[in-house]
Amino acid sequence: MNNFVYHIPTKVCFGKDTENEAGSLLKEFGAKKALVHFGGGSVVKSGLLDKVCKSIKEAGIDYITLGGVVSNPRLSKVYEGVELGRKNGVDFILAVGGGSVIDSAKAIAYGIANEGDVWDFWARTRVPEACLPVGSVLTISAAGSEMSEACVITKDEGLLKRGYTNNLSRPKFAIMNPELTFTLPWYQVASGAVDILMHTLERWFDKKRDSAQLTDAISIGLMKTVMRNALVLKGNATDYNAAAELMWAGALSHNGLTGCGGNWNPPVLPGDWATHQLEHELGGMFEVAHGAGLSAVWGSWARYVSKDNPEYFAKLGKDLFGMGDGAAAETVIKKLEDFFVSIDMPVTIAGLGVTLSEEAVKELAHKCSFFGKRTIGSYRPLDAGDMEAIYRAAKG
Ligand code: NZQ
Ligand code: ZN
């Protein structure tokens, strides 16, 4: 097992009615004036925003609101939030929503706490010195941003979707009431389940993670739990226990736990992450749901790299699916794709409703390679040519 640091400062408040604790949690973390940030309206429609604001008012904390965050959140909204927050002396950002809202909140928090253009951090020309405190009331089990150090933003100009990781942005608290996810469309629930699975699976394909038995066991337990309960939710969208399992798995899958003992080289996360990088470009250019984008490209990535170290696929087949020793990579890949299909997720890009032209394949790979300046993935490093081949294979 490799050395690692595991420091997750996020206070989790989990269960029914916990959204009513928003005010007291803000108070506990010293907020004087909060920016309550939300998305395209689901939290207005469900009445959640009103409940949260009532709780903040009752705690005697001042607040302003800013909605309108879109999926694959935009830099233009971040700029708007930074300006509004500065003008109003905001000292805490509370996200009420999913990964997109939480990421937009984190980016605003960076923007208020640092002078200059906040995009510099995603462009990697500068690192932030500080970040305003962030908390969340989570409404979808998916991205894991509620406990993660990651923040993914799309620059409007050129539709560049980029992730940035820094412990400064780890949220102070996360309110997780599984009942808040009952209003989600099934497609979003399923897309979230894929994302949760992938956050652990990406960490599984880490060539330096030898003999991290406990981390492997946690990973397998988490992935089995997600697969089982996604299928329960397909049959019954309001099954509380299934929604609760998914919500807790979402937070643990991306808070670092399933990477402990891996290739620890901060700020680079242990694991492969090529599938995520390939998807981010798709999400930026075509506005697809992140998890659905992951299932659309994962199989093509896996087939492309599986000739290297096929024993990783065999181990996955044995531990996750109960296959015998030495299962062929293709059998394991197909089995996971079958699961994606069983929860109505696409296994090709065409399945996302996107028809990729050859020109788009090249543009995606060009952007994903940071214009030819980087490779992605650690299981097998991939250059722009490899990326093109994978997008082409995934086209459908
Ligand atoms: O905007 P509203 O109206 O709220 O609608 C949202 C949105 O359309 C809707 N929704 C959310 N909760 C709902 C609901 N509808 C009804 N009832 C509810 N309870 O669902 C849609 C998707 O929401 P979004 O926040 O975009 O989903 P998700 O949590 O999957 O976040 C995706 C974003 O997170 C990034 C992704 O790349 C993507 O941009 N990621 C962030 C990570 C991180 N910060 O650690 C890691 C991930 O790998 C990921 O890259
Ligand atoms: Zn993800």
Side-chain angles (χ1 to χ4, degrees):
M1 193 187 293
N2 295 299
N3 292 4
F4 63 89
V5 171
Y6 183 66
H7 177 79
I8 311 302
T10 310
K11 177 168 179 173
V12 173
C13 197
F14 194 100
K16 293 179 184 175
D17 300 323
T18 45
E19 62 274 21
N20 298 324
E21 303 302 318
S24 57
L25 282 164
L26 282 172
K27 202 170 194 169
E28 182 182 331
F29 287 97
K32 298 272 181 297
K33 183 150 191 173
L35 171 61
V36 180
H37 202 29
F38 59 98
S42 71
V43 301
V44 177
K45 204 166 142 206
S46 68
L48 175 63
L49 187 68
D50 280 348
K51 266 193 186 176
V52 169
C53 290
K54 182 169 172 273
S55 155
I56 299 174
K57 235 181 264 168
E58 282 170 2
I61 293 165
D62 213 0
Y63 70 92
I64 53 171
T65 60
L66 176 64
V69 179
V70 294
S71 288
N72 303 303
R74 295 297 181 93
L75 181 62
S76 49
K77 180 56 72 178
V78 173
Y79 287 148
E80 189 185 337
V82 171
E83 200 184 322
L84 186 73
R86 282 213 176 116
K87 205 163 76 194
N88 287 277
V90 158
D91 60 9
F92 200 108
I93 318 291
L94 179 66
V96 185
S100 296
V101 177
I102 303 173
D103 283 1
S104 185
K106 288 176 177 176
I108 292 171
Y110 279 127
I112 295 177
N114 299 274
E115 292 303 322
D117 186 352
V118 71
W119 182 252
D120 292 348
F121 309 137
W122 282 263
R124 288 147 176 80
T125 54
R126 213 159 54 95
V127 290
E129 281 161 19
C131 184
L132 241 52
V134 173
S136 74
V137 180
L138 186 65
T139 63
I140 173 172
S141 308
S145 185
E146 63 276 12
M147 289 185 95
S148 84
E149 75 279 57
C151 178
V152 187
I153 298 294
T154 299
K155 187 179 189 182
D156 308 61
E157 202 181 39
L159 296 177
L160 291 178
K161 186 172 174 182
R162 296 281 178 265
Y164 178 66
T165 57
N166 187 320
N167 276 316
L168 285 173
S169 73
R170 285 231 199 235
K172 299 290 176 218
F173 65 80
I175 292 176
M176 298 185 211
N177 174 359
E179 285 183 331
L180 299 179
T181 63
F182 290 172
T183 50
L184 278 163
W186 164 241
Y187 189 83
Q188 289 294 341
V189 176
S191 173
V194 173
D195 195 18
I196 298 169
L197 265 182
M198 288 300 307
H199 290 156
T200 291
L201 200 59
E202 295 269 25
R203 288 174 168 93
W204 175 276
F205 286 100
D206 175 356
K207 284 204 281 191
K208 302 220 171 120
R209 187 165 106 187
D210 288 339
S211 66
Q213 291 176 29
L214 180 59
T215 298
D216 279 359
I218 291 170
S219 301
I220 293 296
L222 189 148
M223 289 192 281
K224 282 185 176 171
T225 304
V226 171
M227 293 167 81
R228 190 184 316 123
N229 287 290
L231 287 168
V232 173
L233 288 169
K234 183 178 177 181
N236 178 6
T238 58
D239 185 308
Y240 180 83
N241 285 328
E245 297 290 353
L246 214 62
M247 189 168 255
W248 189 220
L252 297 187
S253 191
H254 202 34
N255 79 355
L257 181 66
T258 61
C260 290
N263 180 21
W264 197 62
N265 179 28
V268 179
L269 299 181
D272 181 76
W273 299 102
T275 307
H276 261 74
Q277 302 306 319
L278 292 163
E279 191 291 324
H280 280 170
E281 299 309 328
L282 276 177
M285 266 173 74
F286 301 105
E287 299 198 0
V288 300
H290 172 61
L294 293 172
S295 67
V297 294
W298 181 77
S300 297
W301 166 82
R303 289 188 178 92
Y304 195 78
V305 303
S306 61
K307 281 176 210 69
D308 300 354
N309 304 90
E311 65 275 14
Y312 276 70
F313 286 88
K315 182 165 161 46
L316 185 69
K318 186 174 180 184
D319 294 356
L320 187 60
F321 297 121
M323 294 173 177
D325 283 333
E330 177 55 32
T331 314
V332 181
I333 295 166
K334 184 72 177 48
K335 184 85 178 163
L336 190 54
E337 284 188 329
D338 287 348
F339 168 73
F340 293 150
V341 170
S342 77
I343 59 165
D344 307 317
M345 283 289 104
V347 289
T348 64
I349 293 170
L352 291 164
V354 174
T355 308
L356 272 196
S357 64
E358 184 55 23
E359 200 183 7
V361 164
K362 287 193 180 341
E363 183 178 347
L364 284 165
H366 187 53
K367 286 177 169 173
C368 192
S369 66
F370 286 6
F371 314 109
K373 290 198 195 86
R374 72 159 180 176
T375 59
I376 59 168
S378 64
Y379 184 81
R380 174 170 159 195
L382 305 168
D383 64 17
D386 298 315
M387 296 174 206
E388 278 184 21
I390 294 171
Y391 281 128
R392 225 171 263 127
K395 248 171 39 168

